[in-house]
Amino acid sequence: MRDLTLRHGALVLACLLSMAPTLAGTDAADASNQASQPPLPPAKAYGKFTQARIEHGRYLTLAGDCLGCHLRPGGKPFEGGLALNTPFGTIYSPNITPHKAWGIGSFSDQDFLRALQQGIRPDGKPYYPALPYPSFTKVKDDDLLAIKDYLFSLEPSDYRPPETQLRWPFDLRDLLFGWQELYLSDQRFEPDPSKSEEWNRGAYLVEGLGHCGACHTPRNLAGATEAHEALTGALIDGWYAPNLTSELGDGLGDWRLHELITYMRSGEATPAKDAASGQTNTSAPHGPQAGSHNGSQNGPVTAALGPMAEVVHLSLSRLADSDLRAIAVYLKDRPAIETPRQAPSRPHQLSEQDDIQGRRLYRHYCSGCHQSHGQGLAPYFPALRGNEVVTLPDPKDVVSALLLGAPADPTQAFSAHVVMPSFGSLLNDRQIAILASYIRANWGNDAAPVTPEQVSQLRRGD
Ligand code: HEC
Ligand code: HEC
Ligand code: HEC
């Protein structure tokens, strides 16, 4: 019984966690582009809490980028309601103002610490790791409580975010217990006495409140981050969060300390000598994988355009110079680790455009179940790689699975536990055609592409 729970837990998390950064990336990044972003409310002393205490809490709230997720476009700070989309349904960030009924007004100090360090709700159920508690668990009790003291100084809001409703079986919070037991360390940050105070401060911010690894560290099959691959770069919703170790090609090896600090403060790194070489620095590549820099000759030339723009705007740009420096010192001191190869080369059947879009759609809607390389996850999700149903000359079965869901015949089900949702109302003919073509042409599959006309014919039942 217990064993089963563990396996289920790992499975569900594989799906949810592989989505978590995506979430932070998509909606939140859009929200930050709105000029109407309300500022973080100023600190005010109240009750037994001094001005200095509340200022301290406000500052740490910035370092944790709590607003990035607990604010929806057009909402008031910390009211929550930001929609984080996953293929299994939408997770809404909660109201964390001190409202007694709809916020966290009834949380004790212990409740607050348990939520952020252990991912456990006051009623004993687990939180989804869309709340980055695997990082926040490193943060000292007193720093988290200072954040609570600041949040409790704010005006309570009676806004009630929509209920999070994930499709079965992904709404079963209990399944997360198993995962937490396996992958959550529940350990505070331990300073390294052989390093400087500045280095340790940087490490504390990067690994704890800054939750940089939530986006920059690749995840294994169970959705957990791997210690030995920490900060070596990962794909998020079509964006690439680059390697932050001192690796030279893809990482920060050729960045100077001040360039890194400037990037965190402004979202741009444009060394002066570049102008002399006649290059324009604003010509960062567009679309996915933008934000990489152009090699070592001119140093980094990069601008935060995607998810990182939000992190810079709401969090890093508001931190003290001393803390940005500490982060840079720590990052620059990390040994170089090569970026794991993630991006496969483009299959010959697909145009570049369709390949990029297919990968994006696949990561967003399919990889949570069928996994990043179409390898599936026994005994729940069939592999798409090497699957005859996928590569039959007549694409009818693949397209039907996408339009209507699967199994078509319940007695032939791949797994008694899970079904494949239908995507017919979510995606249009072109998107379904691109997805079908993408899975027919990747991971060694080699079947002809599917056209939007074929999809629309099957939709009409021709
Ligand atoms: C990447 C997005 C993200 C960030 C960053 C984030 N949160 Fe959250 N937070 C969430 C989500 C999503 C939930 C709800 C999880 C669930 O329903 O299981 C949540 C839940 C919470 C809860 C529990 C609320 C309740 O009603 O049970 C608290 C408290 C909280 N967050 C505080 C914070 C603080 C403080 C920070 C900054 C240090 C922060 N969060 C940063 C996404 C985020
Ligand atoms: C929500 C996901 C997310 C989080 C959290 C995040 N990053 Fe990023 N970061 C990205 C992405 C994606 C890029 C690629 C550029 C972009 O998004 O515009 C990036 C780019 C960068 C770059 C530029 C690297 C290069 O080679 O161009 C640096 C430096 C960086 N991040 C540092 C950090 C640090 C330090 C933290 C933690 C304090 C952090 N990031 C947290 C997603 C994230
Ligand atoms: C919630 C998990 C889930 C998601 C998300 C999901 N699938 Fe599935 N998929 C399944 C399951 C379970 C089956 C097996 C159904 C059965 O019993 O026949 C399946 C079957 C299939 C099949 C038929 C394979 C076969 O052997 O019969 C194809 C093709 C397929 N999925 C493609 C996709 C694509 C493309 C996406 C993204 C748009 C996707 N799936 C998203 C769970 C999922």
Side-chain angles (χ1 to χ4, degrees):
M1 180 65 204
R2 195 186 129 86
D3 206 38
L4 192 72
T5 312
L6 280 175
R7 279 170 52 201
H8 270 289
L11 160 72
V12 169
L13 251 288
C15 305
L16 284 174
L17 255 187
S18 65
M19 294 300 144
T22 304
L23 319 173
T26 46
D27 286 19
D30 292 350
S32 76
N33 293 334
Q34 303 197 343
S36 59
Q37 192 72 256
L40 208 59
K44 284 192 309 246
Y46 68 102
K48 64 177 181 188
F49 302 113
T50 62
Q51 182 72 19
R53 172 73 176 175
I54 305 305
E55 292 281 3
H56 181 53
R58 181 179 185 273
Y59 181 79
L60 296 170
T61 305
L62 287 168
D65 197 9
C66 315
L67 193 60
C69 288
H70 289 279
L71 171 68
R72 69 189 183 288
K76 291 200 225 95
F78 305 111
E79 265 180 357
L82 182 70
L84 308 173
N85 300 313
T86 82
F88 316 107
T90 302
I91 301 182
Y92 291 95
S93 62
N95 178 338
I96 55 167
T97 73
H99 193 278
K100 283 261 191 268
W102 312 130
I104 57 168
S106 56
F107 275 48
S108 67
D109 285 0
Q110 278 319 314
D111 290 339
F112 192 80
L113 291 177
R114 211 149 74 106
L116 294 179
Q117 292 172 339
Q118 293 166 30
I120 302 288
R121 300 200 304 203
D123 70 1
K125 298 256 183 207
Y127 286 109
Y128 296 112
L131 162 65
Y133 53 81
S135 302
F136 292 163
T137 193
K138 299 268 169 76
V139 183
K140 287 194 282 236
D141 291 8
D142 189 60
D143 279 353
L144 289 176
L145 292 177
I147 292 180
K148 173 171 181 276
D149 296 341
Y150 166 69
L151 291 173
F152 273 60
S153 76
L154 305 174
E155 202 58 40
S157 154
D158 61 5
Y159 169 76
R160 192 181 180 188
E163 295 272 327
T164 287
Q165 296 250 305
L166 300 191
R167 278 180 230 127
W168 184 92
F170 302 101
D171 59 347
L172 299 182
R173 284 187 187 264
D174 288 345
L175 300 186
L176 293 169
F177 277 129
W179 183 87
Q180 291 190 344
E181 211 165 297
L182 284 173
Y183 297 112
L184 185 70
S185 68
D186 189 17
Q187 269 167 6
R188 308 298 88 80
F189 176 77
E190 285 291 337
D192 178 345
S194 73
K195 303 282 187 184
S196 70
E197 208 171 299
E198 189 175 47
W199 186 99
N200 276 301
R201 172 72 180 167
Y204 178 66
L205 288 168
V206 165
E207 292 174 19
L209 276 175
H211 62 280
C212 315
C215 294
H216 287 272
T217 299
R219 293 172 189 282
N220 64 20
L221 272 186
T225 55
E226 298 272 12
H228 65 277
E229 291 190 336
L231 301 179
T232 55
L235 279 171
I236 308 162
D237 198 26
W239 291 89
Y240 179 62
N243 191 330
L244 295 184
T245 75
S246 298
E247 202 262 336
L248 266 171
D250 193 38
L252 299 178
D254 60 348
W255 289 55
R256 279 159 295 180
L257 206 63
H258 73 267
E259 289 164 350
L260 196 47
I261 295 171
T262 304
Y263 178 88
M264 290 189 279
R265 192 183 297 124
S266 67
E268 283 175 38
T270 52
K273 64 179 173 179
D274 229 45
S277 76
Q279 285 201 323
T280 45
N281 296 327
T282 46
S283 63
H286 294 289
Q289 324 237 338
S292 61
H293 51 83
N294 73 346
S296 50
Q297 211 182 5
N298 294 312
V301 178
T302 190
L305 302 168
M308 193 61 198
E310 190 230 38
V311 176
V312 168
H313 175 68
L314 287 180
S315 176
L316 292 174
S317 65
R318 308 183 186 208
L319 298 191
D321 287 350
S322 57
D323 275 344
L324 293 185
R325 212 188 126 81
I327 292 176
V329 163
Y330 170 67
L331 288 177
K332 283 296 294 174
D333 190 53
R334 291 184 64 91
I337 305 178
E338 228 181 274
T339 308
R341 280 291 133 235
Q342 307 209 31
S345 55
R346 172 162 66 87
H348 65 93
Q349 297 93 334
L350 304 179
S351 69
E352 186 174 350
Q353 177 82 13
D354 286 1
D355 183 47
I356 290 173
Q357 227 201 322
R359 181 167 336 129
R360 243 189 226 164
L361 288 166
Y362 183 81
R363 276 205 52 94
H364 195 76
Y365 294 110
C366 323
S367 66
C369 291
H370 293 288
Q371 304 300 307
S372 53
H373 297 91
Q375 72 270 40
L377 192 61
Y380 306 98
F381 308 122
L384 301 178
R385 169 166 72 194
N387 182 329
E388 276 177 20
V389 176
V390 175
T391 53
L392 281 175
D394 182 350
K396 187 169 143 294
D397 287 353
V398 184
V399 174
S400 302
L402 281 165
L403 285 175
L404 306 172
D409 173 358
T411 62
Q412 303 286 311
F414 180 82
S415 152
H417 304 282
V418 237
V419 295
M420 154 112 170
S422 90
F423 290 89
S425 52
L426 199 65
L427 303 174
N428 63 30
D429 292 350
R430 207 182 109 69
Q431 290 170 313
I432 298 227
I434 288 177
L435 263 174
S437 306
Y438 182 81
I439 62 174
R440 280 161 70 80
N442 265 288
W443 321 299
N445 289 355
D446 187 5
V450 178
T451 64
E453 291 70 38
Q454 285 173 300
V455 177
S456 92
Q457 271 173 18
L458 282 165
R459 231 195 244 274
R460 290 197 309 266
D462 292 5

